[in-house]
């Protein structure tokens, strides 16, 4: 059965496509995204409080490599098959090598609704996978040049709103532990689903506005925006199995690898590769990949993960 | 009683919210002492920019200063941002009181 939060997304999408006057206040959308990032961070941090952190380092390295590989694959496809300019290919590849918090949140919700457990370090994977693709995208475009303002870009990538909130939430969750978090649990954990539903309503509206652009851009973008997440999911499943994650963990890593960033990366790419047309990447990421992942992708990746874990086991 | 006004130049810049921070750094470097930034909505050659969502939002920057400084700032914007960013910028003469605030 379709998740209730996804119904909210479809509601927003329909309202937008029907050109309804529905519009959420900008401040609400921003507040909901802050809430989701902190809530995800707290939950991950709480789980980390009860496990050793050093064994996680090789896993973090593995997911960084996964992000780099995805960026390179996307770049090669876009430049040599899609015949994109170097700027557009680099920028869009960075979007696909990075990850989407909203997609991750829907994945977490999907697993929680079905009582499927997953590892708490998935939240760190989320934070860690946001950044490498951005740096690779810039290197693909500029090479390693002295003119690149690495300091400013690293600041933007590492201390952007998303990563800061996630890491801050994680630190608080880790430091406070389950008992310390008990007083704020009603707000951050119990209301998670309701907030996610409202957030997805707004996402539906945003996605509906990408449709006109998508119609203009044709079949290649559409195919890329569906095939790239499928390929990402397969690599994510492989990586998850190699790391010995549980079924829930493998599903979430596949979801992360399949997802594409629409907040951190567009903002950084706008500054780092101004020649790239931001409209193309956003149409692909928001118009196709995001809805594909939350409507079809996540259940599919879960099924694939079950199958491959069965084969590997 | 007549107002003792003086002429200064108002530079209005309408552009992408994505570059607000770098623009502000530029203005500081160019020695601009004060400016006002507000959220903006509208439509132009880069499509409808609704302001409903940070990444497609616009800002409007208004600066009042002497003509020469306004022109050099505008030239800097033209050279740095016009090619790749959604940006509209224009100058107007305005009458101000307390002209020392706008040096």
């Amino acid at each position: 059965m379709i998740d209730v939060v996804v119904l909210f997304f479809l509601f927003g999408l329909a309202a937008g496509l029907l050109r309804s006057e529905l519009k959420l206040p900008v401040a609400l959308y921003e507040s909901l995204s802050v809430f989701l990032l902190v809530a995800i961070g707290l939950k991950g941090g709480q789980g980390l409080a009860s496990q050793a952190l050093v064994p996680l380092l090789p896993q973090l390295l593995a997911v960084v490599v996964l992000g780099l590989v995805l960026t390179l694959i996307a770049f090669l496809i876009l430049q040599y098959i899609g015949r994109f300019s170097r700027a557009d290919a680099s920028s869009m590849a960075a979007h696909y090598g990075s990850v989407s918090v909203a997609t991750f949140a829907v994945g977490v919700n999907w697993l929680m609704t079905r009582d499927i457990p997953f590892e708490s370090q998935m939240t760190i994977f989320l934070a860690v996978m946001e950044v490498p693709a951005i740096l690779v995208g810039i290197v693909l475009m500029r090479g390693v040049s002295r003119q690149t303002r690495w300091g400013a870009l690293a600041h933007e990538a590492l201390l952007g709103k998303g990563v800061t909130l996630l890491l801050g939430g994680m630190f608080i969750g880790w430091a406070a532990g389950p008992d310390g978090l008990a007083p704020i649990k009603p707000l951050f954990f119990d209301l998670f689903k309701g907030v996610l539903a409202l957030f997805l309503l707004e996402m539906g509206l945003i996605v509906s506005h990408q449709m006109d652009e998508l119609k203009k851009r044709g079949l290649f973008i559409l195919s890329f925006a569906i095939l790239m997440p499928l390929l990402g999911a397969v690599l994510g499943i492989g990586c998850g199995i190699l790391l010995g994650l549980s079924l829930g963990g493998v599903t979430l890593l596949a979801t992360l690898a399949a997802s594409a960033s629409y907040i951190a990366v567009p903002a950084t790419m706008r500054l780092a590769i101004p020649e790239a047309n931001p409209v193309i990447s956003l149409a692909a990421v928001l118009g196709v990949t995001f809805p594909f992942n939350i409507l079809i992708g996540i259940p599919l990746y879960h099924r694939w993960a079950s199958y491959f874990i069965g084969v590997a086991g | 009683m007549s107002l003792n006004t003086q002429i200064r130049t108002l530079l209005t810049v309408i552009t992408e919210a994505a570059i607000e921070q770098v623009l502000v750094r530029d203005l500081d470097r160019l020695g601009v002492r004060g400016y006002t930034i507000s959220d903006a909505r509208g439509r132009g050659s880069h499509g409808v920019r609704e302001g409903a969502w940070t990444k497609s939002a616009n800002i409007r920057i208004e600066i009042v200063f002497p003509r020469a400084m306004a022109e050099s700032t505008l030239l800097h914007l033209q050279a740095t941002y016009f090619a790749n960013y959604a940006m509209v910028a224009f100058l107007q003469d305005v009458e101000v009181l307390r002209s020392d605030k706008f040096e």
Side-chain angles (χ1 to χ4, degrees), chain B residues 2-100:
Chain B
S2 68
L3 284 172
N4 183 21
T5 59
Q6 286 193 305
I7 301 291
R8 288 288 179 273
T9 300
L10 165 66
L11 167 63
T12 307
V13 185
I14 299 163
T15 190
E16 303 173 29
I19 55 172
E20 177 173 332
Q21 285 195 335
V22 283
L23 273 180
V24 164
R25 275 200 293 274
D26 280 6
L27 294 179
D28 286 344
R29 216 178 40 241
L30 291 167
V32 173
R33 282 168 54 191
Y35 45 80
T36 302
I37 301 181
S38 41
D39 295 327
R41 288 192 293 277
R43 183 191 179 105
S45 57
H46 287 73
V48 178
R49 304 193 55 91
E50 299 170 273
W53 175 47
T54 330
K55 302 313 156 212
S56 69
N58 271 356
I59 50 169
R60 179 175 54 224
I61 308 176
E62 288 162 304
I63 315 166
V64 178
F65 43 9
R67 180 83 196 179
M69 229 177 138
E71 286 181 5
S72 61
T73 306
L74 184 52
L75 279 174
H76 169 78
L77 295 179
Q78 183 187 24
T80 318
Y81 299 104
F82 275 22
N84 293 316
Y85 294 99
M87 180 179 276
V88 172
F90 46 87
L91 301 174
Q92 286 163 290
D93 281 343
V94 289
E95 293 179 55
V96 298
L97 290 168
R98 298 186 295 170
S99 61
D100 56 310

Side-chain angles (χ1 to χ4, degrees), chain A residues 227-248:
Chain A
L227 294 176
M228 190 63 210
L230 291 176
L231 181 65
V234 172
L235 293 177
I237 289 172
C239 182
I241 292 176
L242 283 177
L243 295 178
L245 300 178
S246 66
L247 174 59

Side-chain angles (χ1 to χ4, degrees), chain A residues 240-300:
Chain A
I241 292 176
L242 283 177
L243 295 178
L245 300 178
S246 66
L247 174 59
V250 173
T251 306
L252 269 186
L253 188 57
T255 304
L256 278 176
S259 73
S261 168
Y262 68 91
I263 294 181
V265 177
T268 320
M269 284 298 132
R270 203 68 201 103
L271 296 174
I273 310 181
E275 310 89 307
N277 184 349
V279 178
I280 304 177
S281 319
L282 280 180
V285 172
L286 280 173
V288 186
T289 302
F290 178 74
F292 175 78
N293 274 330
I294 68 166
L295 293 170
I296 300 167
I298 294 168
L300 183 68

